[in-house]
Amino acid sequence: MLKIADLVKRYGTGEPVLKNLDLTVEGTSIVAVIGSSGAGKSTLLRCINRLVEPTSGSIELNGVELTSLRGKDLRMARRRIGMVFQGFNLVDRLTVMENVQSGRLGYISTWAAITRRYPKDDIARAYELMERVGIAQYANTRADALSGGERQRVGVVRALMQRPEILLADEPTASLDPRTSEAIMGLMRDLAHELDLPIIINIHNVTEAKEYTDRIVGMRYGRIIFDDAPAALDEDAMEAIYAGSPGADRAAGAQAA
């Protein structure tokens, strides 16, 4: 279980980006976080994995308080939190297998990583996951030779190689065409249920959020103002989340598409 309580993130002396935010994610639910640009969606995800330091509040994952961890304890905790990025974050000159194995860097020795002497169990696990997402044939292909959808599949497998207890996805389909975007969302939904893995997805496309997730959290100005099943996201809720914001037209267009 992920339990966030009274979370605040402030940069300098300005208005907080996150304002006393509370959120609980249990089981294998897939949670979409929506809202206009600047609502705090990405900051929320980055506070969870401590890429951004919270100003105050509590973030607890399966009984471990993440905000108090430092050094080795923090590195150990991060192994339990998978992350899928909008920009893929692959090393282009490395092969798919090598990029996938980077998800195990927190588990193997520095020497094994440098010499690429990956444990046999890790190689077997990588092939299993790559086969599942349809990229096993590219195991020895350089990452820069892949399409956007294939690159994002590599990013998903890399995160799953950590054997995470939760998966965070920050705009994982923003750089993809509509058809590929839907394929990635469907894949993540299926993997969540197959692996008993909770997923939090920061996403702009409301139509995809409603179709592929179990729960939608709507943010505005650093606060959660909607938290319910996708079917409950009606016009009034959309108005509350997006009205007058720069992302309003984009979100409305995505919903109508």
Side-chain angles (χ1 to χ4, degrees), residues 85-192:
F85 299 90
Q86 173 182 340
F88 316 130
N89 282 25
L90 305 182
V91 180
D92 286 343
R93 62 182 177 81
L94 297 184
T95 67
V96 168
M97 176 61 80
E98 289 167 337
N99 273 282
V100 164
Q101 290 296 335
S102 69
R104 299 298 295 170
L105 292 182
Y107 295 87
I108 64 176
S109 69
T110 302
W111 176 251
I114 292 174
T115 58
R116 298 183 176 88
R117 295 182 179 179
Y118 310 118
K120 292 182 179 179
D121 288 347
D122 287 351
I123 294 174
R125 173 69 171 167
Y127 273 116
E128 177 185 336
L129 289 171
M130 288 192 292
E131 183 71 35
R132 171 62 186 84
V133 306
I135 58 170
Q137 68 272 30
Y138 300 123
N140 297 314
T141 302
R142 278 177 50 132
D144 56 7
L146 304 181
S147 68
E150 291 162 350
R151 289 165 67 85
Q152 194 56 287
R153 283 175 165 83
V154 176
V156 171
V157 173
R158 177 184 58 194
L160 294 178
M161 284 294 291
Q162 296 177 222
R163 297 186 183 272
E165 296 174 16
I166 191 168
L167 183 64
L168 311 177
D170 191 12
E171 295 287 354
T173 62
S175 302
L176 306 177
D177 63 79
R179 183 175 181 180
T180 304
S181 177
E182 291 181 0
I184 291 296
M185 289 296 293
L187 173 65
M188 294 183 72
R189 175 191 60 193
D190 294 344
L191 289 171

Side-chain angles (χ1 to χ4, degrees), residues 23 43 61 108 146 158 183 198 200 209 211 214 219 226 250 256:
L23 179 67
T43 300
L61 178 61
I108 64 176
L146 304 181
R158 177 184 58 194
I200 303 177
E211 181 173 355
D214 305 310
M219 293 184 64
F226 177 89
R250 178 181 175 186

Side-chain angles (χ1 to χ4, degrees), residues 186-234:
L187 173 65
M188 294 183 72
R189 175 191 60 193
D190 294 344
L191 289 171
H193 295 300
E194 291 172 19
L195 302 175
D196 293 327
L197 182 68
I199 300 179
I200 303 177
I201 303 176
N202 166 14
I203 187 170
H204 274 295
N205 191 311
V206 176
T207 298
E208 290 181 355
K210 294 180 73 171
E211 181 173 355
Y212 294 103
T213 68
D214 305 310
R215 173 183 167 195
I216 294 179
V217 171
M219 293 184 64
R220 186 172 174 84
Y221 301 139
R223 300 184 188 276
I224 292 176
I225 63 170
F226 177 89
D227 187 351
D228 210 330
L233 187 70
D234 56 18

